[in-house]
Amino acid sequence: MSDKRAWWKEAVIYQIYPRSFADSNGDGIGDLNGIIGKLDYVKKLGVDVIWLNPIYKSPNDDNGYDIADYRGIMDEFGTMEDFERLLKEAHARGLKIIMDLVVNHTSDENAWFVESRKSKDNPYHDFYIWKDPVDGHEPNNWESWFSGSAWQYDEKLGQYYLHCFSKKQPDLNWENPKVRDEVFDMMNWWCRKGIDGFRMDVISMISKDQSFPDGPLKDGLYGDLAPYVCNGPRVHEYLQEMNQRVLSKYDIMSVGEAAGVTLEQALHYANNEETELGMVFHFEHTDGCMQQDAIIGKWTKTPPRLPYLRSILNKWQTGLEGKAWGSLYWDNHDQPRAVSRFGNDSPKWRVRSAKMIATCLHFQKGTPYVYQGEEIGMTNMHFSSVEDCNDIEEKNAYRQYVTEQHMISSEDMLSCFDHVARDNARTPMQWNDGPEAGFTTGTPWFAVNPNYKEINAEAALKDPDSVFYYYQKLIALRHKLPIMVYGTFEPLLEDSDSIYAYRRHMDGKTITVACNWTDQKVPCSLFDELQGEELITNVDSHEKGFLLPYEARAVLS
Ligand code: GLC
Ligand code: CA
């Protein structure tokens, strides 16, 4: 066995989007006290770590990913005392807490940026990426991830600043050693408070190609910035410095959100010598699947296709083996709901298919992440107008592609939103069948999915066959069986259009996993002659030689 053991390799992470989790004071916005009130629920699921999406002071142009003060708590979420109590209460239950670290960019309301734009000789000017106009225009053709130019003109300075995301999210200039000093100071400050690690927002983007060349033209008017901002020339150097100056000094975990990361790159970021990060999130099975069939940008109505999806996941499973550690996820706050996208959210198949995709993921190698509501099989929302949306990515895309450029009809765009918009994940957590699904006693900041009467945590906890208890069992199995964590991965049936199957091996033991990704019964002989202990399944009885619709099964032998 070539993997060094570590607590974060054996852990299961639960992601909380605080704004939409639980509101304790009736203002319609989830908050830290709301989370404290639900810690017993999280503990019951059996997870080890909570990842909190950003809770820092922010004007919320991008729901907290635009940070105005790295050492303050967002007013709507509570106070630093509330945070300290949350940390204490979590630790008292054996739960760890990791923070979202957003240091590719700040808010334009951050004191550093306010200083930076005062004058060219301000000591903070160089904290951001400012460029003079070229022939009276933007310095290059880069398109921001949230549509439109990635450059914003500042009248007073007569210069443009770079923002890979919204114009209220100026990119920090990591070339400047003072920026790195400040960031590492701030990280050490949080570590000394006792947090257990970081999820690092778009950390693969912190080093930019300093020649800032035009990007290859995309469908619209702009060029692609990804080749010049993702996995840039100094990213590994910066992360090694971060590792030496911060991460290696504490027993914490780190996971990098690595936009545009390839397997080759991940072997560096998440190497087993741990000189950079613990693990990374890649996007090949999520954003990659969208782009395959996209109408424009990431916008698609086509569900992912199993052979493609499986080939991607298997490539990562085998490619990382013994060299680097991986992470496992179906959804998060930037993705549509797992069961709607990868399973089947119709009333007939929702529960079974939610369990099937969970089985498929949790027996793979890597650290699994569960996004709030996934454990009760929450589904996508329906958006009947762009006014129903909150997310800046959706609003900007609608404005650019529908209103301004007429590249796609409003109907088609909204239908894409129903399939892949980030807002699908951001509707309030469904706690019970009472008003506003028990999320708030007031008016929720974002509409509750109307299906909360059937799909809610209270109902799940009362039903022994619920998706919740299935997740609980998968998580308990992982804690009990080292082979689920450290066993090697062997792909099976790689030509199948309907079955995702594989084995894990360790110390002479094997786990065989097979999942039917379709609503049809399909032939499968993997279990016919297999003697062993069935670890988990989502059907009442099996049919020899077949897998039932959306059946999943794992057997230890
Ligand atoms: C990451 C976050 C996303 C955010 C973006 C800009 O992708 O997960 O929510 O919009 O970075 O910070
Ligand atoms: Ca509140």
Side-chain angles (χ1 to χ4, degrees):
M1 191 175 68
S2 49
D3 302 296
K4 235 190 318 174
R5 294 196 174 213
W7 64 260
W8 44 268
K9 294 180 181 171
E10 297 166 17
V12 178
I13 322 287
Y14 187 77
Q15 181 188 352
I16 290 182
Y17 195 71
R19 178 164 289 269
S20 300
F21 194 59
D23 174 24
S24 71
N25 62 353
D27 68 354
I29 299 175
D31 47 51
L32 300 184
N33 283 323
I35 300 175
I36 296 175
K38 299 295 183 186
L39 285 175
D40 289 332
Y41 169 85
V42 175
K43 182 70 190 170
K44 190 175 171 103
L45 187 59
V47 297
D48 309 274
V49 180
I50 293 172
W51 149 26
L52 294 176
N53 285 100
I55 57 166
Y56 318 89
K57 280 212 193 307
S58 163
N60 283 309
D61 190 51
D62 185 20
N63 287 352
Y65 282 95
D66 45 323
I67 298 177
D69 176 2
Y70 286 104
R71 299 177 202 222
I73 301 293
M74 195 187 297
D75 296 330
E76 300 95 307
F77 288 179
T79 63
M80 192 54 84
E81 288 70 49
D82 295 334
F83 176 77
E84 280 159 6
R85 202 168 54 252
L86 168 59
L87 194 59
K88 208 167 121 216
E89 292 287 334
H91 284 168
R93 290 167 176 78
L95 290 166
K96 296 180 190 286
I97 294 205
I98 66 171
M99 304 286 282
D100 220 306
L101 180 80
V102 189
V103 289
N104 173 68
H105 46 267
T106 69
S107 163
D108 65 341
E109 298 180 31
N110 190 295
W112 298 339
F113 191 74
V114 174
E115 286 300 310
S116 172
R117 75 194 312 177
K118 279 187 179 161
S119 69
K120 290 184 192 166
D121 53 14
N122 186 287
Y124 287 91
H125 189 63
D126 236 14
F127 264 50
Y128 295 84
I129 302 171
W130 290 97
K131 295 275 172 230
D132 291 329
V134 174
D135 301 331
H137 294 289
E138 289 82 1
N140 66 28
N141 69 359
W142 292 357
E143 178 171 39
S144 118
W145 293 117
F146 290 165
S147 315
S149 170
W151 298 95
Q152 177 68 22
Y153 190 64
D154 185 281
E155 293 283 344
K156 185 167 157 225
L157 293 185
Q159 286 190 310
Y160 287 91
Y161 64 85
L162 177 69
H163 60 89
C164 292
F165 294 89
S166 97
K167 60 174 187 262
K168 284 183 68 63
Q169 294 169 295
D171 281 54
L172 282 165
N173 176 20
W174 276 68
E175 299 280 323
N176 180 349
K178 291 198 194 109
V179 167
R180 306 204 293 277
D181 289 347
E182 289 284 354
V183 168
F184 300 152
D185 254 19
M186 176 270 287
M187 291 174 75
N188 277 312
W189 185 84
W190 280 101
C191 288
R192 286 196 299 271
K193 251 188 200 304
I195 62 149
D196 302 289
F198 297 103
R199 174 270 187 187
M200 301 183 187
D201 192 60
V202 289
I203 202 69
S204 53
M205 289 174 51
I206 56 178
S207 164
K208 276 88 179 170
D209 180 333
Q210 292 299 299
S211 60
F212 295 91
D214 276 341
L217 277 184
K218 306 216 286 193
D219 297 344
L221 307 169
Y222 298 100
D224 188 8
L225 51 58
Y228 317 102
V229 305
C230 295
N231 312 299
R234 296 182 68 187
V235 68
H236 297 292
E237 174 195 330
Y238 295 154
L239 290 179
Q240 285 160 23
E241 186 181 346
M242 179 194 282
N243 185 291
Q244 283 153 23
R245 294 176 60 183
V246 186
L247 305 179
S248 61
K249 300 200 288 179
Y250 313 89
D251 182 20
I252 58 174
M253 64 167 277
S254 57
V255 50
E257 190 211 20
V261 71
T262 60
L263 176 59
E264 270 310 300
Q265 286 284 344
L267 293 174
H268 295 281
Y269 286 116
N271 69 75
N272 273 355
E273 283 69 48
E274 288 172 41
T275 56
E276 297 185 18
L277 304 175
M279 59 186 131
V280 291
F281 292 121
H282 73 80
F283 290 92
E284 289 198 317
H285 67 304
T286 49
D287 293 7
C289 272
M290 293 196 244
Q291 279 148 9
Q292 269 240 314
D293 298 294
I295 300 177
I296 185 165
K298 75 172 215 181
W299 303 103
T300 181
K301 299 191 272 187
T302 313
R305 288 171 279 170
L306 178 65
Y308 176 74
L309 181 76
R310 183 186 49 220
S311 70
I312 296 291
L313 291 175
N314 287 358
K315 176 185 84 178
W316 280 82
Q317 286 288 306
T318 48
L320 294 178
E321 180 61 53
K323 300 189 191 120
W325 195 254
S327 58
L328 306 169
Y329 73 97
W330 286 134
D331 59 359
N332 59 40
H333 65 293
D334 292 330
Q335 304 292 339
R337 289 281 174 185
V339 68
S340 299
R341 181 193 221 169
F342 296 107
N344 180 334
D345 64 8
S346 70
K348 183 165 182 200
W349 298 121
R350 184 183 65 86
V351 169
R352 194 189 284 180
S353 72
K355 294 175 180 175
M356 182 280 286
I357 58 174
T359 313
C360 191
L361 192 83
H362 281 248
F363 279 95
Q364 298 201 10
K365 186 163 184 171
T367 299
Y369 289 73
V370 180
Y371 179 66
Q372 69 183 42
E374 178 188 337
E375 78 282 8
I376 56 168
M378 276 176 64
T379 68
N380 278 359
M381 185 70 168
H382 168 62
F383 301 100
S384 45
S385 119
V386 68
E387 270 78 57
D388 292 351
C389 300
N390 168 267
D391 179 21
I392 183 160
E393 180 183 38
E394 286 147 47
K395 289 188 182 159
N396 286 359
Y398 189 94
R399 197 183 54 232
Q400 181 174 335
Y401 301 135
V402 180
T403 314
E404 289 171 10
Q405 294 175 17
H406 309 290
M407 295 175 80
I408 170 173
S409 71
S410 169
E411 252 182 328
D412 275 348
M413 194 75 212
L414 289 170
S415 161
C416 290
F417 287 175
D418 284 350
H419 280 83
V420 293
R422 309 198 299 179
D423 272 340
N424 288 301
R426 300 177 180 185
T427 62
M429 177 73 185
Q430 292 161 210
W431 291 107
N432 57 43
D433 65 3
E436 308 302 350
F439 163 71
T440 178
T441 54
T443 307
W445 73 276
F446 195 39
V448 172
N449 193 316
N451 63 22
Y452 71 94
K453 296 255 182 216
E454 294 83 54
I455 307 175
N456 63 70
E458 194 177 280
L461 290 173
K462 280 191 203 138
D463 172 8
D465 278 334
S466 67
V467 178
F468 181 93
Y469 288 116
Y470 196 89
Y471 268 82
Q472 188 189 55
K473 188 167 179 190
L474 282 171
I475 296 165
L477 281 168
R478 178 167 279 259
H479 289 146
K480 189 173 122 196
L481 302 171
I483 180 174
M484 249 173 107
V485 180
Y486 295 109
T488 54
F489 178 92
E490 177 201 356
L492 297 174
L493 310 183
E494 286 184 281
D495 294 327
S496 169
D497 282 334
S498 41
I499 300 175
Y500 195 144
Y502 54 88
R503 293 200 183 101
R504 301 288 303 278
H505 301 280
M506 195 171 117
D507 298 339
K509 295 265 179 211
T510 295
I511 299 179
T512 304
V513 182
C515 299
N516 178 358
W517 278 65
T518 73
D519 60 3
Q520 305 293 314
K521 186 169 105 174
V522 294
C524 174
S525 56
L526 280 177
F527 300 104
D528 291 357
E529 310 302 328
L530 195 65
Q531 302 291 323
E533 174 197 352
E534 181 165 274
L535 296 172
I536 198 162
T537 187
N538 61 351
V539 296
D540 294 333
S541 60
H542 305 296
E543 197 173 316
K544 195 169 180 198
F546 292 93
L547 288 176
L548 301 175
Y550 296 112
E551 175 172 351
R553 228 175 139 176
V555 172
L556 176 68
S557 59

